[in-house]
Every structure is written in C-alpha cells, then in structure tokens.
Amino acid sequence: MSVAIVGAAECDLGVTGRSVLGLQTQAVTRALADAGLSLADVDGIATTGVARFSATQLADHLGVVPTWTDSTFAGGSAFEMFVARAAQAIEAGQCSTVVISFASNQRSARSRSLGGVFEAHTPEAQFEAPYGPLYPASYYAMAAGAYLHKYGATREQLAEVAVAAREWALLNPKAFRHEAGPLTAADVLAAPMLSTPLTAADCCLVTDGGGAIVLTSLARARDLPKPPVRVLGYGEATTHTSMTTVDDLTVTGATISGAAAFARAGLSVADVDVAQVYDSFTITVLLSLEALGFCKPGEAASFVQDGRIRPGGALPLDTSGGGLSYCHPGQFGVLLLVEAVRQLRGECGARQVAGAEVALAHGTGGILSTHATVLLGVDR
C-alpha cells in the first residue's frame, strides 16, 4: 500500500478538567506538529464521540474544510476502521492528508456510569433489561464465564492480562497507574467483584484522554521529518448487536478482521513484533489472541503465562499499559495506533521493543460486536 502514518500524539490524560473539543484540539495539533504539518495541510478528518455530527463539529472547530470525512460510530474499533477508509481515500485521490482523532473527558465530567448506556428502545432490551445487566461489563462477564467453563481456564490465568498490563504501565510515565506499583494475580482476584467472574481489576480504567494520528501518501511521507510507518493491511467485521444472537460467546469477529488484514499485508502472526490489542476487559485479550491466530481456541489462558506478554516476553502486548493501566477514555482504539507507531519508530524509551518492524493494532467495539485489525510496518 502507498499510505503511511506520519504523526501520532496523545492529548492530556487522566483527570484533565478540559472539554472534549479542547482535548481533541490538543491531540490533533500535537499529532500534526509531530508530522511536521499544520492544520492548513489537512483535507480529511475521521473522528467520533464529539457530537451528533462529530466530523463536522471538529472540522468547524479547527477551521478546516475537508474534502473527505468519516464519523463511523463502532465503539473502540472505529479508529482501526478509519485507517482503512483513510488509506482508501488517499489512494483514490479524495484527499491528501487525513487526521484520525478521538478524545473524551468522561472522568472529569463524570459522564460514565457503572450501568453504562443500555438503550431501552432496542428490540433486545425487552429480553435483557429485566436482568439488570451492567453495560457492557455484564456482557463481557458472560463471555468470560463461558470461556472459563468451556476450556477449564482459571481466574488466575485470566488475571495475568491485567498483571502484564501493569508491568508495562510501570515503564510508561504517562500511564494512569504508573505510580501504583506492581499488580499480582491475587490482587486482581481480591478486587471488588463487578460482574462475576470479573473484578474491578479485570476492567479497563475510566479516564479522560485521547489521541490522533496523521496519514498521507508514502511518497509525501518520505519528505517529512519522522520515519514513515506504512499501512500494510487491514480488515474488519461486525457480528452482532445483542448477546442473545450469539451462538458461541468464545468466538469473535476478529477471526474475520485478522485474516483479512494478514492476507492484505501478505504476513502472518509470526511476523508481528509487537501487538496492541484492545483490552477493555481481560477476557477481551484472550478471545482476540485466539481469533487473530496467535494461538488456538482454548489456548490463550496458558499462552499468556510465564511472562510471554510482559516486558521482555516473546509477544510484547499492549506496551503502553493498555486500557487496563495506561488510559481508557471510553474508546481506546486510536491510542492502540499511537503506541504502535511509536514502537515502530523506536520512541518508547524504557518500554521500547528492540527491533520492532511490524506492529498489529486490533480494536474491539460494543459488546464484542465490532472488530478491526490494522498491520503497520517500518518503511524499507
């Protein structure tokens, strides 16, 4: 493919007291500065979470008149989907420079409730609402329960995902849990039970934050200050809206999105040096690793043991600390891409994966509903 990411940045993270548009502006302008570009260069915008017409709102706020926009709302996977759409638009000549961004002030604004947003007007609500599920926690808890039952995995094995994420966060000064100290499996199991079998430590953070990336043609990218990060492949799948329509909670649409991304890139899991996999909940990671082909169904619980996904392990995973220990502003997918770009550029300091040349970023949205995979690589 002839498209590359040339800029990547976060906005302020944690508890910021800033507005959504204020955080979005930080993310976009910082990413453009990283790319050696300005708002005057931008003719494509992809974003969500700002307002009813998110891309329109952001373009107006920034004073940009784009010739291409996308505001697909697919939850945490939207940003990996945006990469595909942006690459296609740039290759087709619809635009030349695209900014993909997201930000949320959910912690400062206290806009996120434990019950989440259960849409009472949807057809499935009449079957699910009477049971009082936490949205989305109870749904991921059902998937976790099904997985543990089906494969005989243990809660301690599931907890390893959170333990590994914390180890990476301790290497990342920007991580929300950077000063919190190590986490053990016993700590995860002893945390308050949120929705059986998931405790609070199995669940992602609730923070302000966000980020942005900038894409342009590879030819143009080679004239910009930072090393280009090439878009090698992408794929997506949308499988369901309600858990009541899912035949097997342990099988996800990442099987489709991952296979498509690897096929487009002409690569396999053996080529991946670093993986950024959406970790809204610990179970999300296990299901995604299996679906993406890193291990077989039922093997992920043992696959992540013995430090495999921790710093120094064979599969560096969620190297920023992930949604579990770094930052989770409600939709984490853009920050998976930011970290993947930084790893391929060698910019991650103490958490840098030596010699990383291929990175995978995989987003999950809804209640295991939407899935999008992107493969990125250094420019050779």
Side-chain angles (χ1 to χ4, degrees):
M1 294 181 192
S2 57
V3 174
I5 299 173
V6 294
E10 303 134 314
C11 61
D12 290 352
L13 308 175
V15 186
T16 66
R18 295 184 179 272
S19 69
V20 171
L21 278 173
L23 293 171
Q24 280 265 28
T25 301
Q26 283 185 339
V28 170
T29 56
R30 289 175 185 177
L32 286 168
D34 182 61
L37 298 170
S38 70
L39 284 170
D41 295 297
V42 176
D43 56 1
I45 287 179
T47 190
T48 185
V50 179
R52 183 181 177 192
F53 301 108
S54 290
T56 304
Q57 185 79 55
L58 184 60
D60 189 49
H61 181 73
L62 297 174
V64 173
V65 180
T67 58
W68 176 89
T69 64
D70 193 346
S71 52
T72 298
F73 186 75
S77 65
F79 311 93
E80 284 68 36
M81 292 180 178
F82 288 154
V83 170
R85 313 279 200 278
Q88 292 160 2
I90 291 168
E91 288 182 326
Q94 286 184 271
C95 54
S96 63
T97 305
V98 175
V99 171
I100 296 173
S101 66
F102 174 79
S104 164
N105 65 349
Q106 62 173 6
R107 192 176 183 99
S108 292
R110 298 184 179 181
S111 60
R112 185 68 177 260
S113 68
L114 185 60
V117 182
F118 193 95
E119 298 180 296
H121 65 277
T122 59
E124 63 271 14
Q126 62 183 307
F127 303 108
E128 299 176 13
Y131 296 95
L134 303 178
Y135 188 97
S138 294
Y139 295 82
Y140 282 84
M142 286 194 294
Y147 185 90
L148 298 183
H149 173 75
K150 182 176 181 179
Y151 296 116
T154 67
R155 284 286 292 110
E156 289 81 4
Q157 290 177 310
L158 186 61
E160 173 61 20
V161 175
V163 172
R166 179 64 59 82
E167 286 207 6
W168 286 108
L170 297 179
L171 301 176
N172 183 1
K174 293 185 178 180
F176 193 72
R177 298 296 189 204
H178 177 64
E179 305 297 334
L183 187 71
T184 67
D187 294 332
V188 177
L189 270 62
M193 183 60 68
L194 191 63
S195 189
T196 305
L198 302 181
T199 69
D202 286 291
C203 306
C204 65
L205 299 167
V206 176
T207 67
D208 298 357
I213 60 170
V214 183
L215 297 92
T216 192
S217 68
L218 182 60
R220 186 184 186 199
R222 287 170 173 160
D223 293 328
L224 295 174
K226 294 290 184 74
V229 172
R230 297 184 63 177
V231 178
L232 303 178
Y234 49 75
E236 69 178 76
T238 298
T239 53
H240 63 276
T241 185
S242 166
M243 287 293 203
T244 58
T245 63
V246 180
D247 292 329
D248 187 343
L249 298 179
T250 67
V251 177
T252 81
T255 56
I256 300 169
S257 67
F262 281 114
R264 282 193 174 93
L267 298 173
S268 72
V269 292
D271 298 302
V272 175
D273 299 308
V274 59
Q276 312 299 333
V277 175
Y278 207 101
D279 60 340
S280 48
F281 301 88
T282 49
I283 186 60
T284 316
V285 173
L286 296 192
L287 295 178
S288 298
L289 287 173
E290 292 180 3
L292 292 167
F294 287 97
C295 54
K296 295 178 180 178
E299 292 183 351
S302 57
F303 178 83
V304 300
Q305 303 305 304
D306 299 322
R308 184 187 293 267
I309 61 173
R310 298 189 191 190
L315 179 63
L317 180 80
D318 294 338
T319 53
S320 65
L324 291 165
S325 275
Y326 157 62
C327 168
H328 198 288
Q331 297 178 56
F332 186 61
V334 71
L335 290 166
L336 298 172
L337 294 161
V338 169
E339 180 70 6
V341 168
R342 288 175 170 168
Q343 285 287 348
L344 294 178
R345 287 176 172 178
E347 298 175 341
C348 291
R351 69 183 190 279
Q352 179 63 46
V353 175
E357 294 190 353
V358 175
L360 175 146
H362 177 75
T364 303
I367 49 174
L368 295 168
S369 306
T370 64
H371 312 267
T373 311
V374 170
L375 287 164
L376 303 173
V378 298
D379 184 33
R380 296 177 179 173

